[in-house]
Amino acid sequence: MSEAFTIAIDGPAAAGKGTISKAVAEHFGMAHLDTGLLYRAVGAKVLKGEDAASAARALVPSDLEDDTLRGQDVAQAASEVAEIGEVRAALLEFQRSFARKAGGAVLDGRDIGTVICPGAEVKLFVTASAEVRARRRYDELVQRGQPADLAVVTADVKARDARDMDRAEAPLKPADDAVVIDTSDQTIAEAVAAAIAAVTAKKG
Ligand code: C5P
């Protein structure tokens, strides 16, 4: 397949978007962009004292290859810079051009199906209850050997949800034509299979 084909995968923190997106991209042989990393990279620069909009405009690919971007403090900073219209505007073109890559592309984030790629061939909205998502994020942090407290992680997930859903700029919500996948009671394999089936149904 050499033509462009965009798969937009949105949803709240720790719903399983990242795992599903990687698996879908691999299954269909497409490129994958975790757009949360763009906001995390800007958030990390703000934590070091940089101006958010300037940092977003100056972002380069190597800024995304930084292990500290996965931490909770960076996640909170990311969701704060994500409220700034100038930051979102600076990151828009890179995401749109990635989405039109020959051979197809999977982008995961919060506003891919609604704002970045409203014409995406497939839109999925991957969600799960806040409690299930907090437990997954907690397990992930523990596995990485990072300090974690379930109550704190739950509060962080809920705070980030509220900020992402209530913001004026590109709030988190399913596109009208998105297929919703609730992974609360699914294994990773079941969720991945549901996503692949949804893409296959549209792609033929
Ligand atoms: O997906 P991840 O948890 O890495 O995203 C970090 C933060 O970046 C989110 O809480 C959200 O505020 C922001 N974000 C966004 N739009 C995207 C991807 C992430 O606003 N497309």
Side-chain angles (χ1 to χ4, degrees):
M1 187 183 61
S2 60
E3 73 276 19
F5 187 95
T6 307
I7 302 176
I9 304 187
D10 291 305
K17 284 190 315 284
T19 307
I20 291 174
S21 302
K22 275 191 215 108
V24 167
E26 198 168 315
H27 181 87
F28 292 102
M30 296 178 177
H32 170 231
L33 178 65
D34 168 1
T35 65
L37 273 184
L38 303 173
Y39 295 89
R40 285 173 182 262
V42 175
K45 286 178 186 282
V46 167
L47 290 177
K48 288 182 191 145
E50 289 187 38
D51 169 69
S54 316
R57 281 191 288 268
L59 215 62
V60 292
S62 61
D63 291 332
L64 309 182
E65 292 156 18
D66 175 351
D67 283 346
T68 66
L69 297 185
R70 287 283 158 215
Q72 287 294 108
D73 51 341
V74 175
Q76 290 301 327
S79 85
E80 284 166 29
V81 302
E83 290 185 291
I84 305 169
E86 273 177 284
V87 168
R88 305 201 73 86
L91 302 176
L92 186 92
E93 214 30 66
F94 174 74
Q95 295 175 82
R96 283 202 177 143
S97 73
F98 190 98
R100 301 318 288 165
K101 266 180 190 287
V106 179
L107 284 82
D108 74 87
R110 302 290 188 289
D111 63 338
I112 309 303
T114 50
V115 175
I116 305 294
C117 305
E121 281 78 4
V122 180
K123 296 178 190 173
L124 306 181
F125 191 83
V126 178
T127 189
S129 72
E131 287 68 27
V132 167
R133 290 185 288 116
R135 162 58 71 174
R136 286 180 188 158
R137 187 48 53 92
Y138 170 80
D139 289 346
E140 208 178 283
L141 291 170
V142 170
Q143 218 171 23
R144 271 201 225 111
Q146 288 181 14
D149 172 324
L150 185 58
V152 173
V153 175
T154 305
D156 279 357
V157 162
K158 289 185 176 170
R160 207 137 67 86
D161 280 358
R163 201 179 294 125
D164 289 351
M165 290 189 283
D166 296 342
R167 69 184 178 214
E169 294 282 341
L172 170 66
K173 60 173 182 196
D176 292 338
D177 51 350
V179 175
V180 177
I181 297 176
D182 188 327
T183 67
S184 301
D185 299 316
Q186 287 180 328
T187 61
I188 291 173
E190 286 167 343
V192 167
I196 290 174
V199 175
T200 304
K202 304 259 174 165
K203 207 167 165 290

